[in-house]
Amino acid sequence: MSEKQIEKPGFTLRAAIIAVFLTLFLLASSSYIALKLGAQPWPIIFAVIVSGGIIKLLNRSRDVNVHEVNVAQAGASIGGLVAAGIVFTIPGIIYLNQVRNVDIPWPNPWLLGVLTALAGVLGLLLSVPLKYTFVDKEQLPYPAGTAGAELLKLGKIGGRQLAIITIFGCAAAIFGLFRELYFDAGFAISFLATFGIFFIVLPLPLAVGGGYILGPKAGFSWLAGAIIGWIVIVPLLINNGFQIESARSFAQNLGMGLVLGAGIGFLTSYVLPRLKSIVAPMLQTGKGYFKFYPLVSVLGVIGLVAVEVPWLAAILTVLGVWLMVAVAARMTGETNIDPLEQFGIFVGLVIALVYEIIALELNMYASFMIVAFVSVACAVAGDSGHDYKSAAIVGTRFFDIVKVDLIAVIVAGLAAPLVFEVIRGGFAEQLFTPSMPAPQAKLVAGSIFGFEYPNVFLTGFGIGFLWEILNTLLPQRYKNRLMMMPLGIGLFLGLSFAFPIAIGAAIRFYIDKNRSDLYHSGLLVAAGVMGGEGIAGFSNAALISAGLDPQIGAFGLMGMFVVVLLISTRFSGKH
């Protein structure tokens, strides 16, 4: 790669504006997806294609600057990860208040927005020195960032790719809106009902798309967890005297234990052997941007105190972020997985233990703020690692990426709590039901308040922990044949979500084995479906929150998506 290529600028006013627009789009759509699906696949492919398509349309006949596209997509993808940091954690307050009858105050969305922005900025700044070790020196794969860079290098960012994403996105949006009007709870199919074996068919295009992006290992592990929990464990418990609801809660507590145990097990087996190489980059000095670290860290402490986190807990939280950001960046680089809420839970539990030892009180509200702050910082650090990898492959200037990510994370951070307020207003009755289960938020709530079956949770935790320890000892060809975190989510969510996830994974498996030439086309369709259904869900919530009749609002949105679909179809054959 020539020096001339590396020096070609990518940060432009146009790229920054596109990044801000798309980061808000992905913030809204991803907030809905994460609550609905219980997972947040990387939005990088969507960001690459849409950013490139917009710039190509604006350029007309001129060549597209791939570095400008890379900068725009880097800022755009931030919104999806900030969304996950909030909706994987804060809704747990609603769960405890409604289900466990606990009185935890709801955070001020404006203060929470400032706190989220500070967490994101801290996560971003701390990720900068990690780039020199994890991307430049160790050359970790960062699979999502590499996939985005491949599309850029292949030139697959034209109007036709944008049209494909838009067509499938509009189709999924129209279907999703129709579903919410007429069969939002899906269709129940029961067999051996005496033993509690039944499931609800949820026609979720976004889940099929998510399964394709997650891939066969994660998708089939998810299905295995659902089968173990809801076809084996639940019927056995009912046969031994459990009520149906108690049996399901038992399975869900086991699943949550598996998820958290696998996450902590991975941290233990992964971080400890590499602790020196992970932490060392954080201790470098001599770079100009390091002068901002103390300032942003102090602002983070002040922000936490402003939302009623005690001073000592606030200081420990920021120190925890310094370590967890490094872990998140490396873990994401090697595995493409960023279990951000588990990093938050880990720091929260450590701080709670410290407070118990020194006989001080840490209330549940403060614990939620701690977990959310760490989760957002780790989410941004993981996403930034993909951006740095893409920049290294394509030749985009590194600090062009840092600048646009900084703008995007401030915008997304300030807006994220407001976006969730819209969703909460539109779907208040659906939260923590089978149609919008929000499992990560429920896991966070359980870790703070306690679980209905604590011994079952601890059993799952032990199994997940030991599995991840043993997994590190296996030869490379046998690693992650069964992925414990998706398995635990499947056990928690049941068969309704597992089947569409598995369908998407099966399509990906077939394409990988037999039609590798269709891989990128599949990514376009999956990204479009998820983005379309996600933004339709958010828009519907916004109209309901504004007081509009749900049926009028849904049909109005469907009409809009039909028009966009027809326009996109007309341009689908053009490059």
Side-chain angles (χ1 to χ4, degrees):
M1 183 178 298
S2 69
E3 190 68 21
K4 185 177 180 180
Q5 283 179 295
I6 295 176
E7 290 302 319
K8 191 172 184 180
F11 185 87
T12 63
L13 177 60
R14 179 170 65 180
I17 292 172
I18 291 172
V20 168
F21 168 75
L22 288 180
T23 208
L24 291 173
F25 178 95
L26 284 168
L27 175 69
S29 62
S30 297
S31 295
Y32 177 85
I33 290 168
L35 290 168
K36 192 85 171 174
L37 184 59
Q40 177 52 57
W42 295 102
I44 292 171
I45 299 300
F46 180 93
V48 168
I49 299 301
V50 176
S51 299
I54 292 173
I55 289 174
K56 190 160 188 177
L57 289 174
L58 293 174
N59 269 18
R60 305 273 180 188
S61 59
R62 290 178 291 170
D63 292 335
V64 172
N65 177 1
V66 294
H67 305 297
E68 186 181 25
V69 177
N70 206 16
V71 166
Q73 73 80 20
S77 63
I78 288 284
L81 275 299
V82 172
I86 291 297
V87 301
F88 282 2
T89 56
I90 296 301
I93 295 174
I94 299 173
Y95 173 76
L96 291 182
N97 287 345
Q98 291 182 350
V99 178
R100 297 295 187 91
N101 297 316
V102 182
D103 186 18
I104 303 174
W106 186 249
N108 180 299
W110 299 102
L111 281 178
L112 182 59
V114 172
L115 185 70
T116 304
L118 286 170
V121 170
L122 183 59
L124 174 63
L125 290 180
L126 291 175
S127 74
V128 170
L130 299 174
K131 177 259 185 188
Y132 298 106
T133 298
F134 297 156
V135 176
D136 296 343
K137 183 179 177 181
E138 298 186 18
Q139 297 186 352
L140 299 183
Y142 286 97
T146 299
E150 288 174 354
L151 288 176
L152 287 167
K153 291 178 73 176
L154 291 171
K156 293 184 176 293
I157 52 173
R160 186 175 184 183
Q161 282 77 25
L162 177 60
I164 291 172
I165 276 188
T166 306
I167 288 169
F168 281 93
C170 288
I174 294 165
F175 178 83
L177 290 165
F178 187 84
R179 181 196 61 226
E180 292 301 314
L181 279 178
Y182 296 107
F183 47 95
D184 64 307
F187 305 100
I189 296 179
S190 62
F191 52 97
L192 297 176
T194 304
F195 298 101
I197 300 180
F198 79 97
F199 66 94
I200 297 172
V201 177
L202 286 175
L204 285 172
L206 69 85
V208 178
Y212 183 92
I213 293 174
L214 290 170
K217 288 182 180 179
F220 295 152
S221 296
W222 191 314
L223 178 62
I227 292 171
I228 291 169
W230 299 69
I231 293 184
V232 177
I233 293 177
V234 169
L236 284 175
L237 292 175
I238 292 173
N239 196 43
N240 283 277
F242 276 69
Q243 297 296 315
I244 290 180
E245 289 303 320
S246 298
R248 292 175 191 162
S249 182
F250 185 104
Q252 289 177 332
N253 281 201
L254 181 64
M256 287 188 280
L258 287 171
V259 171
L260 187 58
I264 302 301
F266 191 92
L267 288 179
T268 302
S269 60
Y270 182 89
V271 174
L272 293 182
R274 300 171 173 83
L275 190 60
K276 183 177 179 181
S277 65
I278 290 175
V279 175
M282 311 295 295
L283 305 178
Q284 295 176 2
T285 57
K287 300 286 186 182
Y289 47 81
F290 278 88
K291 64 186 177 185
F292 296 108
Y293 283 25
L295 174 62
V296 178
S297 296
V298 170
L299 289 175
V301 171
I302 294 172
L304 285 161
V305 172
V307 294
E308 301 180 29
V309 176
W311 277 99
L312 175 59
I315 293 169
L316 293 174
T317 300
V318 171
L319 292 175
V321 166
W322 275 66
L323 176 60
M324 288 296 105
V325 156
V327 175
R330 175 142 195 173
M331 183 175 178
T332 304
E334 283 199 352
T335 68
N336 213 36
I337 298 172
D338 187 359
L340 49 105
E341 79 285 354
Q342 295 179 45
F343 295 131
I345 290 171
F346 179 77
V347 172
L349 290 175
V350 169
I351 293 173
L353 179 61
V354 169
Y355 264 65
E356 186 174 341
I357 291 172
I358 61 178
L360 291 176
E361 182 181 354
L362 184 69
N363 61 46
M364 286 184 283
Y365 175 83
S367 294
F368 271 104
M369 296 302 103
I370 290 168
V371 175
F373 187 89
V374 177
S375 298
V376 170
C378 291
V380 171
D383 181 72
S384 297
H386 288 294
D387 296 338
Y388 303 155
K389 182 68 174 183
S390 178
I393 293 172
V394 177
T396 305
R397 294 193 303 191
F398 170 53
F399 279 99
D400 283 355
I401 299 293
V402 176
K403 284 187 287 187
V404 77
D405 278 358
L406 183 61
I407 294 169
V409 80
I410 292 172
V411 171
L414 292 172
L418 302 176
V419 165
F420 179 70
E421 288 293 323
V422 170
I423 294 175
R424 183 166 76 111
F427 295 113
E429 295 182 0
Q430 293 187 31
L431 272 173
F432 300 105
T433 69
S435 63
M436 192 171 274
Q440 287 85 355
K442 196 171 180 180
L443 173 61
V444 170
S447 71
I448 291 172
F449 180 80
F451 296 91
E452 187 174 350
Y453 293 98
N455 291 334
V456 174
F457 171 81
L458 290 174
T459 300
F461 183 95
I463 294 171
F465 183 88
L466 291 174
W467 178 271
E468 287 299 331
I469 299 294
L470 292 173
N471 189 53
T472 62
L473 303 176
L474 295 173
Q476 187 61 39
R477 60 184 295 189
Y478 296 113
K479 288 182 185 294
N480 294 319
R481 288 293 181 90
L482 183 66
M483 301 180 70
M484 195 55 61
M485 279 189 270
L487 186 142
I489 294 175
L491 204 152
F492 177 88
L493 291 182
L495 296 164
S496 304
F497 287 89
F499 279 119
I501 288 283
I503 290 170
I507 294 170
R508 170 73 176 274
F509 179 79
Y510 172 80
I511 287 177
D512 287 347
K513 291 291 184 182
N514 303 289
R515 294 295 306 275
S516 58
D517 58 306
L518 296 178
Y519 168 72
H520 287 116
S521 298
L523 283 179
L524 294 181
V525 173
V529 164
M530 296 189 71
E533 189 169 352
I535 200 62
F538 172 79
S539 301
N540 195 28
L543 293 178
I544 293 172
S545 298
L548 191 66
D549 179 86
Q551 194 168 38
I552 294 174
F555 275 112
L557 288 172
M558 278 191 268
M560 181 191 72
F561 283 113
V562 167
V563 171
V564 177
L565 175 63
L566 293 174
I567 294 172
S568 301
T569 303
R570 185 175 180 182
F571 285 95
S572 62
K574 299 182 180 181
H575 295 269

